[in-house]
Amino acid sequence: MSATAPATHAAVTGWGKCLPPAALTNHDLATILDTSDEWIVSRTGIRERRISHVSLGELAYVASARALACAGLNGASVELIVFGSCSYDDQVPNMASGIQARIGAQAAAAYDINTACTSFLYGLSTATALIRTGVVRNALVIGAELISPFMDWGDRDVAVLFGDGAAAVVLEASARAEGLLAEKLGCYGDAREILRVHGMGGRYANRGILHGITRWQFEGQEIFKRAVQGMAGASEEALSRIGAQPQDVDLVVPHQANLRIIEAVARRAHLPMERVFLNVQRYGNMSAATVPVALCEALEEGRVRPGALLLMPGFGGGLSFCAHAVRWGERTTPRGASEAQLPPNERTALELIRECLARKTRPAPAGADPFA
Ligand code: UT7
């Protein structure tokens, strides 16, 4: 593209994921909760999920370094970083600025975006818009989540559903009609109370609640219905905005919260399950990380062919919902690999959960600076 020609699109040129190694199986969960592998698999399709031994920033950094290497892009040339998440290590300074510092993207703008599970997809929208309007020429868009410290590990209604993980994509200005072509974004604000994590946010500070102590208000069946309605409707709307039909979609890469929700969306939006990518069985619901991790794995497994039309429906707290129609480019293999890795972990997922619970209840030793 010449320096004067306006960029009309934002192609996806890099992708990378980072999953913490400790896997928590349904059988592990059945040792601490009144639940069973049979219940969890039949209601959700989930068999295991990952529990992180590192911070959210660390997971996201490794995913970002891998995405940049995949695009063959140097950190210093990144112009925008959008960090999608609802489980921050810090609110001030924000998470995106930490990635900027670690990848050496001194000239990049950096902001966080929180629409819960749809944060990555909303980030894809805003980054694409800023590229298409010429504000920046490229962007790193991250979807990362560290749910385990905020989980109520005594509540079987929610503890079996979620996991930790991170992934990122690189977008670059392109004159070809690729990348995000159209999206539908929406929110059922009237139903926002059916998914609330009590304890995450400033409103709880004056009630003497320690950071990380949470109670989940979670009306599973109502969320289920809204999720299906929101994702199926948004899918139809996004496709109609580009004049496409369900049969034109080569691969659906949906938010992975529950296999039954995905099947219901596919039925309602006339999308055959053979064209739906699934990895919910391995990771559970990683909130903002689910779609980009699924995209990385679809590429690794050869499910994305050059020029493919991808559809990415999502939903989450808020209740936010959306669907994104993405035209893939020519390249489906990485340009390069990064050496970035997580530090080693010796602990099992159950041990990590026990440590997490101990941190919430154990007072700091006398004289210790709790902010050190
Ligand atoms: O990104 C947003 C995230 N939110 C979601 O993805 C949630 C969407 N909702 C769902 O995925 C489903 O509604 C659930 C998986 C949460 C629940 O499935 P369900 O088929 O709607 O089950 P239910 O809520 O009707 O519960 C059925 C029974 C209840 O027992 P009783 O009242 O019938 O005696 C629950 O207490 O299953 C019980 N139950 C469990 N049993 C064993 C609930 N959780 C568990 C569990 N293990 N983990």
Side-chain angles (χ1 to χ4, degrees):
M1 206 183 71
S2 85
T4 50
T8 53
H9 290 90
V12 185
T13 60
W15 53 91
K17 64 174 185 178
C18 178
L19 279 318
L24 181 71
T25 65
N26 293 346
H27 297 288
D28 290 334
L29 276 167
T31 67
I32 56 170
L33 288 169
D34 180 16
T35 190
S36 65
D37 179 56
E38 194 281 326
W39 191 96
I40 301 170
V41 173
S42 64
R43 291 304 216 289
T44 71
I46 302 167
R47 294 184 182 276
E48 56 183 44
R49 68 289 292 143
R50 301 294 176 91
I51 304 296
S52 182
H53 64 296
V54 296
S55 67
L56 177 68
E58 192 69 32
L59 289 177
Y61 163 68
V62 174
S64 299
R66 290 174 179 168
L68 287 171
C70 174
L73 205 66
N74 192 305
S77 48
V78 172
E79 298 189 7
L80 174 68
I81 299 163
V82 182
F83 195 121
S85 184
C86 63
S87 53
Y88 311 122
D89 295 331
D90 289 297
Q91 279 183 293
V92 180
N94 71 7
M95 296 302 301
S97 58
I99 299 296
Q100 192 229 37
R102 282 203 67 186
I103 65 170
Q106 291 89 345
Y111 60 85
D112 294 355
I113 194 162
N114 172 12
T115 53
C117 300
T118 58
S119 302
F120 168 78
L121 289 169
Y122 274 62
L124 188 64
S125 287
T126 64
T128 298
L130 290 175
I131 290 174
R132 293 184 72 165
T133 50
V135 178
V136 294
R137 285 168 300 183
N138 63 48
L140 176 68
V141 183
I142 301 161
E145 221 68 82
L146 187 70
I147 310 277
S148 55
F150 299 104
M151 180 46 66
D152 176 353
W153 288 107
D155 182 355
R156 68 177 184 175
D157 287 350
V158 287
V160 303
L161 302 177
F162 291 89
D164 301 332
V169 299
V170 173
L171 306 180
E172 292 185 70
S174 168
R176 288 191 298 272
E178 55 186 280
L180 176 57
L181 301 182
E183 70 270 61
K184 166 68 184 170
L185 308 176
C187 176
Y188 298 123
D190 63 310
R192 66 196 290 271
E193 295 300 329
I194 68 177
L195 204 179
R196 172 183 284 281
V197 185
H198 292 274
M200 276 179 109
R203 65 154 71 216
Y204 305 96
N206 62 356
R207 299 185 203 168
I209 296 170
L210 295 172
H211 179 79
I213 305 262
T214 56
R215 185 166 56 75
W216 290 56
Q217 183 170 309
F218 193 88
E219 292 176 34
Q221 290 191 358
E222 196 50 38
I223 301 170
F224 194 116
K225 281 184 219 151
R226 296 275 189 154
V228 174
Q229 183 189 341
M231 285 201 285
S235 294
E236 283 163 12
E237 177 76 34
L239 290 179
S240 82
R241 287 181 183 187
I242 56 167
Q245 304 292 325
Q247 60 269 27
D248 300 326
V249 175
D250 295 294
L251 191 68
V252 184
V253 184
H255 176 50
Q256 315 266 330
N258 180 324
L259 175 60
R260 286 163 54 222
I261 293 177
I262 296 172
E263 288 170 342
V265 170
R267 250 192 325 274
R268 204 153 153 166
H270 310 290
L271 299 159
M273 280 305 287
E274 309 82 73
R275 295 202 196 155
V276 178
F277 186 80
L278 295 172
N279 64 359
V280 67
Q281 64 281 8
R282 288 196 284 278
Y283 307 123
N285 183 351
M286 296 180 290
S287 184
T290 60
V291 170
V293 168
L295 176 63
C296 289
E297 297 196 342
L299 282 149
E300 286 163 13
E301 294 175 24
R303 300 277 308 268
V304 180
R305 62 167 181 78
L309 180 63
L310 308 182
L311 182 67
M312 302 174 178
F315 78 97
L319 298 172
S320 60
F321 63 86
C322 58
H324 290 56
V326 171
R327 176 72 65 192
W328 202 258
E330 282 308 302
R331 189 166 53 81
T332 55
T333 51
R335 282 218 164 93
S338 165
E339 287 175 6
Q341 282 198 43
L342 293 179
N345 170 49
E346 304 299 328
R347 288 154 292 173
T348 66
L350 278 175
E351 284 167 349
L352 288 167
I353 289 171
R354 283 193 201 103
E355 279 178 26
C356 179
L357 288 171
R359 274 198 301 275
K360 291 185 195 187
T361 49
R362 190 192 304 137
D369 176 0
F371 296 111

